[in-house]
Amino acid sequence: WLEAGFKVQSLGSGVSVKLPSSASVSLPKCLFDVVVSPINAPASSSDGLVYVSADPYAWPYNGALRPGNTALLAIDFQKDYLCSDGFLASLGYDVQPCRTAATKAAELMGAMRAKGFHVLHTREGHAPDLSDCPARKVWRSLGTVGARGPLGRFLVRGEDGWDF
């Protein structure tokens, strides 16, 4: 729901990526083989190297920030973590700070894509029977993982809350 013009492609084992709607790709051998969509980077310095201003020093140390070696990894940008009726909110957390961060992240994703970088999205989702969800996680969530909510079963693959 953050970006129009994209589709979700499953890579198996609960891993999915967002691709431009017009993209046609075969499933990769591993996640790192995926070229998801172009992204954007800062301008080059006068010496042709690219750095991100950071404290205590610029990153990367060698100025080799470019689409061929850098991607943005967006983790858990899914409704169960960002919506007021999702999993995180059901535990009593205020999701507004997450939504604010997601809005800023969407701006960064657009800027990086415009410069030719790639954005990879991951999301958390478990099998309907929770056989792949650690018992500790189910216990720690007070039984909320897999429970039915307004967006379907929380953190279960294929449910509305699992969607971006």
Side-chain angles (χ1 to χ4, degrees), residues 34-69:
V34 179
V35 176
V36 179
S37 60
I39 326 167
N40 185 359
S44 298
S45 63
S46 60
D47 58 4
L49 302 178
V50 179
Y51 297 94
V52 172
S53 179
D55 185 21
Y57 49 83
W59 181 89
Y61 76 95
N62 62 359
L65 182 64
R66 61 185 186 279
N69 70 359

Side-chain angles (χ1 to χ4, degrees), residues 3-4 11 13-14 20 37 58 74 88 93 95 102 150 155:
E3 303 167 82
L11 301 180
S13 301
S37 60
L88 199 58
Y93 293 100
V95 297
L155 299 178

Side-chain angles (χ1 to χ4, degrees), residues 1-8 18-19 21 75-88 95-107 109 113 121-123 151 159-164:
W1 57 274
L2 287 175
E3 303 167 82
F6 286 84
K7 64 181 179 181
V8 176
K18 276 181 118 172
L19 298 168
S21 296
I75 300 172
D76 294 343
F77 282 73
Q78 64 198 76
K79 293 177 184 178
D80 267 339
Y81 288 115
L82 298 173
C83 291
S84 60
D85 49 2
F87 169 72
L88 199 58
V95 297
Q96 189 54 49
C98 296
R99 293 179 65 86
T100 300
T103 299
K104 295 291 185 186
E107 292 173 23
M109 289 177 215
R113 284 187 179 106
H121 288 265
T122 70
R123 58 187 165 174
L151 301 175
E159 298 286 344
D160 191 39
W162 183 65
D163 200 0
F164 292 107

Side-chain angles (χ1 to χ4, degrees), residues 21-43:
S21 296
S22 60
S24 173
V25 298
S26 58
L27 290 178
K29 293 179 184 164
C30 73
L31 184 59
F32 298 107
D33 293 337
V34 179
V35 176
V36 179
S37 60
I39 326 167
N40 185 359

